[in-house]
Amino acid sequence: MALHREDAAPSASRHLVQVWQVASPAADDELVGSWVTDKLLVRASTRGGVTAYSLADGSTAWTAALPAKAAAAGTQPCAMSPTLTAAGLGTVAFGRDGHTCTSLAGIDAATGTVLWTVPLVDAGHKTAMGAQTFLQGDVATVVGENFLGGLDVRTGHRVWGFKSRGYYCNAYTWGGPGVVLVDDYCADSGTHFTLTAYDGATGRTLWSQTQDAHTDIAHVFSGAPLIVSEHKAGEDSVRVVAPSGASRKLAVGNTELLPGNDSAADHSARLVGGVLVTPATTAAGSEVDAFDTATGAKLWSYPATALATSAGDSDRVYALAGSPSAPQVVALDPRTGHATAVAALPAATGKRVFTAGTVYVTAAGGVLELDAQGTGVGVRFSQ
C-alpha cells in the first residue's frame, strides 16, 4: 500500500551533530558532481575545481591540477562521472565555464592524480559544447555534440567511436551508465528519423527504431533496464525499454520524476531489486516515489525533501524528511515504502537553510549534504 503525505512520520531517537562544514568557494558556485570513498568526499564545482575533503575533519586532502596544455583550454569542471571504478578511478570534463567542455581527464580519487587528458574540441569541432561522462567497468563514455564514444578510463585510449548513418545528419545524444541514446535526422538516408541505443562499453548497437519525428529524452534514470523520460508529439511519459526497443509506461500520473535532488549533479535515482526509487515533485511538494519496473505500477510515495545515496550499501534507501526546524534521516523499504527513523539532523540556524543538492549517508552512519548552489556552505557533515 502506498504511503501518503498525511501519514505520521517516525521520530528518531538518535541525534546527529555537525562535525564540520566547508564554505562554498563563491556565491555563483555550481555543483558539477561528487564521489564518496571510505575516507574522502570529492567535490567538483565550477568555482572550486575538483577538491577532496577528509571525512574525518573536512580538511583538504588534495586538489586536482590539469597539465598545462589542457589547462590552457579551461580549468572549470563541467561534467563528472557519477561513479568510480572498482579501482577508484573516475572522469571529469573541464572547460572555460560549467556548461561547455574542452577536455576530459581521468582522475585517481585517492590521490587526485590526473592520469590522462583527452581534448573534446579539434579542428573540425572548434566550438566547445556541453558533455556528460559515465562509467561502465573500465570504459568511460563521453556523450556530447563534439565527442561521442568510449575511452579506457585507465589510459584514455579510444575504445569505440560513434559513426553517423549519413553525411547530412543532425544528432541529439543522451547517456547513462551503460547506454548511449542517439536521436538523429539524416537528409541523405531513406530513413530520415531514427532513435538508436548503443552499449556504452562497446559501442555495439542494442536496437534502432524508425521514427516519424524527433523524440526528446529528458532524463535517463537507468541503463539496465533502460528507463527514460521522453517527450513525443502529444505525449510525455516515463518508460521502461526492453532489449528489443519496445517500451511500456510507468504509472507516473501528474507527478514529475527527477533523476536527482534539485541539481543536474545529483544522480540519486536508482534501481533497487527491480524497483525504481526516484525523487519527485507534485503540486503538494517534494517526495520520493517507487515504481515496479516489471509492471509499471506505482508502489508507494513518501514526503521527503531529498533522496539520499548510501555510500556503504547501494540497496539501502534513505531520505531526508521533516521541516527545516526538525530534519531527519529515514530508511525506506524499497518494496513497501515503510519508513524507519534513523537519526535527527541538526536544525537550520538563523537565516541559513541548507539546500541539499546531493545527500550521502556514509558507511559509518554520517550524513553529507552538498549544496547545489553557492549559498555560503558548500558541504555539511553530521555524525
Side-chain angles (χ1 to χ4, degrees), residues 100-302:
T100 54
C101 305
T102 54
S103 65
L104 184 78
I107 296 178
D108 185 329
T111 64
T113 303
V114 175
L115 304 173
W116 50 265
T117 61
V118 170
L120 299 180
V121 291
D122 57 27
H125 304 86
K126 296 180 180 180
T127 303
M129 306 293 286
Q132 294 176 295
T133 175
F134 304 94
L135 300 183
Q136 42 279 304
D138 287 323
V139 176
T141 50
V142 185
V143 183
E145 293 185 41
N146 284 346
F147 192 111
L148 180 59
L151 305 172
D152 188 318
V153 73
R154 298 162 296 188
T155 63
H157 294 160
R158 180 74 71 100
V159 175
W160 66 272
F162 172 75
K163 293 183 178 180
S164 175
R165 290 191 298 123
Y167 188 78
Y168 299 102
C169 294
N170 291 324
Y172 301 87
T173 60
W174 304 272
V179 67
V180 173
L181 297 173
V182 178
D183 179 278
D184 66 5
Y185 170 79
C186 292
D188 56 347
S189 171
T191 303
H192 287 338
F193 292 96
T194 65
L195 178 63
T196 306
Y198 299 90
D199 185 297
T202 65
R204 179 176 61 89
T205 300
L206 301 176
W207 50 261
S208 187
Q209 296 177 342
T210 300
Q211 303 181 104
D212 296 326
H214 173 63
T215 295
D216 182 52
I217 305 297
H219 306 299
V220 178
F221 292 95
S222 166
L226 177 61
I227 304 176
V228 297
S229 174
E230 66 176 35
H231 171 75
K232 289 186 176 181
E235 182 182 43
D236 292 322
S237 60
V238 179
R239 293 180 171 271
V240 180
V241 185
S244 64
S247 65
R248 60 180 178 278
K249 295 181 186 178
L250 295 183
V252 172
N254 293 326
T255 303
E256 181 183 3
L257 303 190
L258 304 169
N261 304 304
D262 299 328
S263 169
D266 192 300
H267 301 271
S268 53
R270 61 193 178 277
L271 284 173
V272 183
V275 175
L276 175 66
V277 183
T278 176
T281 59
T282 69
S286 60
E287 61 188 34
V288 174
D289 289 350
F291 299 85
D292 188 319
T293 58
T295 66
K298 187 174 184 177
L299 298 176
W300 53 264
S301 176
Y302 190 84

Side-chain angles (χ1 to χ4, degrees), residues 66-78 93-97 100-103:
L66 288 175
K69 184 176 181 180
T75 59
Q76 288 194 27
C78 57
F94 296 85
R96 297 193 183 279
D97 57 52
T100 54
C101 305
T102 54
S103 65

